[in-house]
Amino acid sequence: MAPPVRPAQFSELAYGTTLAREFNLIQPEDVMKWSVIRPDRASFDFTAGDAVVAFAAAHQMQVRGHTLVWGRHKLDGAEYTPAELPDLLHEHITRVVQHFRGKVFAWDVLNEAFDENGKLRNSIWYDRPGIGLAGKGTAYIEQALRWAHAADPDALLFYNYAEGEAVNPKSDGLYAMLKDFKRRGGPIDGIGMQMHIFDLHPDVSSIGANIGRFTALGVQIHITEMDVALPTNPDTGTLRNSEDLGRQADVYREIAAVCLAHHGCTAFQTWGFSDKYSWIRSFFRGNKGAALPWDEKYNPKPAYRALKETFADGSCDRVKVSTPELRQP
Ligand code: XIL
């Protein structure tokens, strides 16, 4: 079973007040994932997800849901047989989406289903063993979207992905899927571009071109998980080069501006907001960090001021600016 839910960070004064003051959209980092919502095969635990929804309601924020179908979801193999997988996933999507119906306005239904070469990634849901549509290309993705649509016809349904934010083979594969779905009336409303930036020189014009070709197909773009990792000293967590903060601010500014430049780019989220709580440090074993707009003591960094300036031109009416709530304590 999951541990009892203590959304400790909501009650941490600087965390809660910064979150409520600065953002109008919120997304759980982990608590709507399979591992938290589905502690075992028989149970659903919505407690932590409900806490996110309650925080959002108390502060007039909208909620994005993340994520229903992800190859990285760990299921205990002893708990299902391959033949049961389609029903298991159908049940999961239906129960979760119905539970948050009217509270979550957009769902990352699928997360990271393509490989860098633009082909579908092997995964438990696609082909190992899959939900009965192995070898049938994007049919399993379409199926998941249709189940989500049936569970909440009003929710916006997204495919969320990483490392294909520029034009490249991965985004080409996704573009082909989208074109096909749009032609046949598949239920997809948007593409989430995670935008984890691991070096300080993203190809912003190519990212803009990619956003342009997707939005031309009539889907929305949400920037869903932006952070800009900086080199840090593993022992102390301090920056290797303090001048990186300026370049980091420029990267945030450039990506925010490219979103604003496209009418179909309708949300901008960072993956956390204070360096106190960020997945980057553990992901890079201390060699990168300081990726977010506030430092560990909630002091705004140059990146914060860059975002504030970029969104201060009235475009905020169109673009929701957001951040995820923190993981479970
Ligand atoms: C990460 C969380 O930040 C971590 O707390 C967790 O341990 C692993 O997942 N892409 C995604 C997110 O879509 O769900 C991931 O979040 C980061 C990469």
Side-chain angles (χ1 to χ4, degrees), residues 6-56:
R6 287 168 287 137
Q9 282 71 27
F10 283 167
S11 56
E12 182 185 331
L13 191 62
Y15 187 94
T17 52
T18 308
L19 187 56
R21 186 183 66 236
E22 303 283 350
F23 300 97
N24 58 8
L25 175 62
I26 194 172
Q27 169 172 318
E29 183 167 1
D30 289 316
V31 301
M32 288 186 192
K33 289 176 180 168
W34 193 292
S35 53
V36 177
I37 275 192
R38 208 73 188 268
D40 56 50
R41 166 117 189 229
S43 349
F44 286 80
D45 184 349
F46 295 116
T47 323
D50 288 344
V52 175
V53 167
F55 186 92

Side-chain angles (χ1 to χ4, degrees), residues 289-323:
L292 290 164
W294 281 264
D295 72 13
E296 302 209 348
K297 297 197 165 79
Y298 298 93
N299 296 311
K301 293 158 63 178
Y304 168 75
R305 286 183 282 277
L307 288 176
K308 192 89 175 160
E309 283 163 20
T310 312
F311 288 116
D313 65 355
S315 316
C316 296
D317 291 345
R318 172 167 67 79
V319 178
K320 304 172 197 312
V321 187
S322 173
T323 187

Side-chain angles (χ1 to χ4, degrees), residues 25-261:
L25 175 62
I26 194 172
Q27 169 172 318
E29 183 167 1
D30 289 316
V31 301
M32 288 186 192
K33 289 176 180 168
W34 193 292
S35 53
V36 177
I37 275 192
R38 208 73 188 268
D40 56 50
R41 166 117 189 229
S43 349
F44 286 80
D45 184 349
F46 295 116
T47 323
D50 288 344
V52 175
V53 167
F55 186 92
H59 300 286
Q60 294 83 47
M61 302 162 116
Q62 282 185 292
V63 181
R64 284 189 96 258
H66 173 84
T67 176
L68 299 166
V69 186
W70 191 18
R72 286 178 188 267
H73 283 145
K74 298 259 183 302
L75 275 65
D76 182 350
E79 290 183 356
Y80 64 90
T81 65
E84 290 172 326
L85 264 195
D87 285 347
L88 189 67
L89 186 61
H90 188 185
E91 177 195 39
H92 183 79
I93 291 175
T94 305
R95 289 282 299 274
V96 175
V97 174
Q98 279 181 350
H99 178 85
F100 292 109
R101 192 170 171 166
K103 296 170 181 157
V104 163
F105 86 106
W107 273 105
D108 288 335
V109 179
L110 279 300
N111 204 30
E112 303 177 353
F114 284 86
D115 262 326
E116 314 316 311
N117 61 11
K119 302 213 174 347
L120 286 171
R121 185 170 278 168
N122 306 116
S123 78
I124 176 178
W125 306 118
Y126 172 44
D127 60 349
R128 297 190 174 171
I131 58 166
L133 299 167
K136 296 195 174 144
T138 56
Y140 89 101
I141 296 179
E142 187 173 345
Q143 178 64 82
L145 288 162
R146 290 196 185 283
W147 283 334
H149 183 66
D152 182 356
D154 295 326
L156 298 175
L157 304 183
F158 278 70
Y159 173 86
N160 188 49
Y161 82 118
E163 289 156 19
E165 289 91 346
V167 175
N168 58 32
K170 185 187 253 186
S171 60
D172 287 348
L174 177 54
Y175 182 72
M177 176 185 82
L178 210 54
K179 236 173 138 173
D180 171 48
F181 285 2
K182 280 289 164 193
R183 188 173 51 79
R184 293 184 300 103
I188 186 156
D189 301 291
I191 297 296
M193 294 186 169
Q194 293 186 10
M195 214 63 76
H196 295 289
I197 309 261
F198 299 143
D199 69 53
L200 285 167
H201 302 284
D203 187 343
V204 179
S205 72
S206 181
I207 291 171
N210 204 29
I211 292 176
R213 68 172 172 162
F214 285 136
T215 52
L217 290 177
V219 293
Q220 298 183 34
I221 296 292
H222 286 178
I223 308 297
T224 50
E225 307 184 16
M226 186 163 175
D227 46 23
V228 182
L230 301 181
T232 48
N233 299 303
D235 303 339
T236 55
T238 50
L239 285 178
R240 294 218 184 143
N241 316 299
S242 56
E243 63 273 22
D244 283 349
L245 289 173
R247 179 66 202 138
Q248 180 183 53
D250 290 342
V251 175
Y252 272 105
R253 188 196 322 270
E254 288 163 11
I255 299 293
V258 98
C259 173
L260 288 176

